[in-house]
Amino acid sequence: MGSRMAKPALDVGLVTGDAERAIRFYEAVAGMERQPPITLPNIGTIHRLACGHSILRVMVPTASP
């Protein structure tokens, strides 16, 4: 028996110390659209890229990974 997804999309996250390079790659190669970032004090910044209903989150922690 398969699982049932809550929505017809995937949300994926990755952690990097070089957000701009990763974001440029996903914008240029995958055609993803940059969304406003979310900054979490003392934790880091989450950059979001959208493709349809799917979201890629690129996390840049305050302390280098």
Side-chain angles (χ1 to χ4, degrees):
M1 174 155 93
S3 61
R4 179 180 286 182
M5 293 179 62
K7 66 178 187 176
L10 294 174
D11 290 345
V12 178
L14 57 95
V15 178
T16 183
D18 189 354
E20 285 307 311
R21 187 173 177 189
I23 291 167
R24 280 195 313 269
F25 171 81
Y26 288 107
E27 284 180 318
V29 175
M32 300 184 91
E33 182 179 324
R34 193 184 299 219
Q35 304 294 305
I38 299 169
T39 300
L40 305 168
N42 301 316
I43 296 173
T45 302
I46 300 171
H47 300 271
R48 299 175 299 149
L49 295 119
C51 182
H53 294 287
S54 297
I55 298 288
L56 170 66
R57 291 177 177 86
V58 179
M59 170 67 172
V60 182
T62 301
S64 185

